[in-house]
Amino acid sequence: MGEERTKELTHATMDLSAAFSKAVGNRAPHVRKVFDRFHVQKLANEALDTVRRQQVREQAGSQEGKALKHSRWALLKNPWNLTVRQGEKLSELKKTNQTLYRAYLLKESLARGMDYVQPKRASEHLDKWCQWASHSRLAPFAKLAKTVQRHKDGILAYVETGLSNGVVEGINNKIRALIRRAYGFRNPKAFRAMILLCCGGMEFTPPLPVAA
């Protein structure tokens, strides 16, 4: 971007990778870091799935273990996207596996914390969530609580600004589709030209041929 354009930046959205944070800190220390909501929630999903796999191993062969079958998507999907069967599975887990259901509630509570539009209320919710997760006796969530505390300012920056990596992720998906469609490119120039053609917002309206 160059030094002059970098000075004009005010915010930078990113995931919670230390490499991205370090790069922004070195090149643009004045910029406020905004941690993308999707990646924060992804960490909660991974913590939940870790608890699920632990429960599957511990409950193998028991009646409670049978209730864990086909539970993954019922736990990971948003509540409003559940099928009837997945909703029933979630209700079953609430009765048969309190440990896993507690992990599910932690995942959902973190998502609600990022739904707030007032940073103060979001901050209070995150503090309470971290305290709950730290004392949940669930190691993956206790670890996640430390991550949330360490990156709290950047998470609250998302609440304040609503900024995310959504546009960049969408462009990246289009670029990956271009690579697959072309079965790769022979050189970077051809690749760059195709990206500009398909993602650059250019419009081409050549005249249609007219029958003689």
Side-chain angles (χ1 to χ4, degrees):
M1 292 183 66
E3 186 175 345
E4 291 302 318
R5 293 178 66 192
T6 300
K7 288 179 180 178
E8 297 178 5
L9 294 175
T10 58
H11 297 76
T13 64
M14 64 189 77
D15 62 27
L16 281 70
S17 165
F20 290 137
S21 185
K22 182 179 179 180
V24 172
N26 290 340
R27 301 285 303 201
H30 63 286
V31 166
R32 186 171 187 192
K33 299 168 187 174
V34 181
F35 294 119
D36 183 76
R37 174 188 181 137
F38 170 81
H39 292 94
V40 176
Q41 194 61 45
K42 181 181 177 183
L43 293 179
N45 288 345
E46 290 172 352
L48 172 58
D49 207 43
T50 298
V51 174
R52 182 190 64 82
R53 291 196 302 270
Q54 290 172 346
Q55 289 299 301
V56 168
R57 290 193 296 270
E58 292 175 9
Q59 305 291 344
S62 67
Q63 192 65 31
E64 290 78 7
K66 292 181 181 179
L68 293 171
K69 289 184 177 180
H70 310 297
S71 64
R72 183 167 186 253
W73 295 115
L75 291 163
L76 294 179
K77 286 175 69 174
N78 291 319
W80 56 88
N81 284 334
L82 294 175
T83 64
V84 173
R85 182 69 190 95
Q86 289 167 342
E88 293 172 348
K89 172 61 68 175
L90 204 56
S91 297
E92 182 182 7
L93 288 174
K94 183 178 180 180
K95 299 175 183 176
T96 61
N97 196 307
Q98 287 294 310
T99 298
L100 185 54
Y101 192 72
R102 184 164 69 253
Y104 169 76
L105 293 178
L106 280 163
K107 185 264 290 189
E108 287 299 310
S109 180
L110 181 58
R112 286 198 298 274
M114 292 181 288
D115 283 338
Y116 284 107
V117 293
Q118 303 96 337
K120 182 178 179 181
R121 294 190 66 187
S123 177
E124 292 171 351
H125 184 99
L126 289 177
D127 287 341
K128 292 177 182 177
W129 185 90
C130 288
Q131 186 177 13
W132 179 21
S134 297
H135 295 86
S136 65
R137 291 178 293 175
L138 300 172
F141 279 96
K143 180 180 178 181
L144 178 57
K146 294 179 180 178
T147 300
V148 171
Q149 287 175 327
R150 192 165 59 250
H151 297 86
K152 182 182 172 184
D153 183 68
I155 296 173
L156 291 177
Y158 162 78
V159 174
E160 290 180 26
T161 65
L163 295 173
S164 75
N165 284 359
V167 173
V168 175
E169 297 287 353
I171 293 174
N172 282 342
N173 287 336
K174 288 182 180 179
I175 291 174
R176 293 190 191 100
L178 289 176
I179 296 172
R180 290 194 299 270
R181 190 173 71 186
Y183 293 93
F185 291 87
R186 292 177 64 88
N187 59 69
K189 288 185 178 180
F191 185 29
R192 182 176 183 275
M194 186 56 72
I195 292 173
L196 291 174
L197 178 65
C198 297
C199 304
M202 295 181 288
E203 295 184 7
F204 297 93
T205 55
L208 297 175
V210 180

